[in-house]
Amino acid sequence: QVQLVQSGTEVKKPGASVKVSCRASGYTFSDYYIHWVRQAPGQGLEWMGWVNPNSGGTNYAQRFQGRVVLTRDTPISTAYMDLSRLTSDDTAVYFCARDLSSATVVTVLDFWGQGTLVTVSS
Amino acid sequence: DIQMTQSPSSLSASVGDRVTITCQASQDISNYLNWYQQKPGKAPKLLIYDASNLETGVPSRFSGSGSGTDFTFTISSLQPEDIATYYCQQYGNLPPTFGGGTKVEIK
């Protein structure tokens, strides 16, 4: 069965960076785009970007441009989200999610990781 | 960015009631609209994609309709396990954007 398993809780100081991993299993990792979505405490969902596990190509939401880097390590079926220059506003649960389409990116998110809480506090 | 306006923000209904949530896009998104269910402390779960297609394994009491800018999500007979927050999400234009959510509670 398809599973996305994320790395554990992180606590960071303002100005630091965080790297969250997302290990996929149960399907061919290179065939489906991986998206990252975050959710601040008590708030809604915010799309951050996607990575093409086959080519490594990426697309980022403009508000995260220059601060987020999405990468992948295809041999170990793992995607990564690296967010730099953290502030308290980045305190959130970060989710990875698989795109439903294997042909192209459509942003229909059919499988999700369990989420990783990132707390930014001095 | 396309704004997705969801209403109501919360509702309370009895078991067996028909529940309807609406989502309005700030511009035409054709049928590029998904609905997700999120229970507390859990990841969202895809219920409906392309406005009206039921995801595999999702109970048939859930349905969606609409196109263009106006969309509706319906639970035909509310069950206790449907207590959750529901989000719409458009992917007609980049960046994909979500509605603010509708929290569904049992009366």
Side-chain angles (χ1 to χ4, degrees):
Chain A
Q1 72 283 21
V2 173
Q3 277 195 305
L4 300 175
V5 178
Q6 298 182 222
S7 50
T9 298
E10 300 269 8
V11 179
K12 296 292 182 180
K13 294 200 182 300
S17 298
V18 68
K19 190 168 188 173
V20 178
S21 67
C22 171
R23 187 181 78 250
S25 61
Y27 72 99
T28 302
F29 177 70
S30 57
D31 284 352
Y32 296 83
Y33 287 65
I34 293 288
H35 298 255
W36 291 86
V37 174
R38 77 176 186 179
Q39 186 170 38
Q43 302 300 309
L45 300 164
E46 181 175 31
W47 180 81
M48 300 179 69
W50 55 249
V51 59
N52 179 337
N54 188 37
S55 68
T58 54
N59 188 298
Y60 303 128
Q62 189 166 11
R63 65 167 291 174
F64 296 106
Q65 286 275 2
R67 273 211 311 140
V68 68
V69 178
L70 302 182
T71 57
R72 91 289 186 223
D73 188 340
T74 304
I76 61 170
S77 300
T78 300
Y80 301 93
M81 187 281 299
D82 202 321
L83 187 63
S84 60
R85 303 194 301 276
L86 294 168
T87 72
S88 57
D89 289 342
D90 295 314
T91 293
V93 175
Y94 290 77
F95 295 100
C96 62
R98 193 190 82 160
D99 200 298
L100 177 145
S101 173
S102 62
T104 185
V105 58
V106 293
T107 317
V108 178
L109 307 177
D110 63 349
F111 288 94
W112 294 64
Q114 83 276 19
T116 297
L117 174 62
V118 176
T119 301
V120 182
S121 174
S122 55
Chain B
D1 297 3
I2 293 179
Q3 304 304 311
M4 304 300 294
T5 303
Q6 224 179 299
S7 62
S9 57
S10 65
L11 65 89
S12 182
S14 299
V15 172
D17 280 356
R18 183 180 186 86
V19 169
T20 298
I21 298 168
T22 64
C23 187
Q24 185 170 59
S26 60
Q27 61 190 78
D28 191 333
I29 57 169
S30 185
N31 67 329
Y32 299 130
L33 191 285
N34 306 319
W35 291 95
Y36 299 88
Q37 174 193 67
Q38 186 178 32
K39 296 184 178 181
K42 300 295 187 182
K45 174 186 176 183
L46 177 67
L47 300 180
I48 303 282
Y49 64 96
D50 291 350
S52 61
N53 291 324
L54 196 67
E55 171 69 339
T56 303
V58 174
S60 59
R61 64 180 180 274
F62 296 102
S63 65
S65 64
S67 67
T69 61
D70 295 302
F71 301 87
T72 300
F73 172 80
T74 301
I75 307 173
S76 61
S77 176
L78 185 67
Q79 300 301 303
E81 61 266 31
D82 300 336
I83 300 314
T85 300
Y86 294 83
Y87 293 94
C88 61
Q89 174 241 319
Q90 69 80 22
Y91 62 102
N93 278 65
L94 284 174
T97 48
F98 293 84
T102 297
K103 187 174 184 179
V104 174
E105 297 175 321
I106 295 286
K107 192 181 294 183

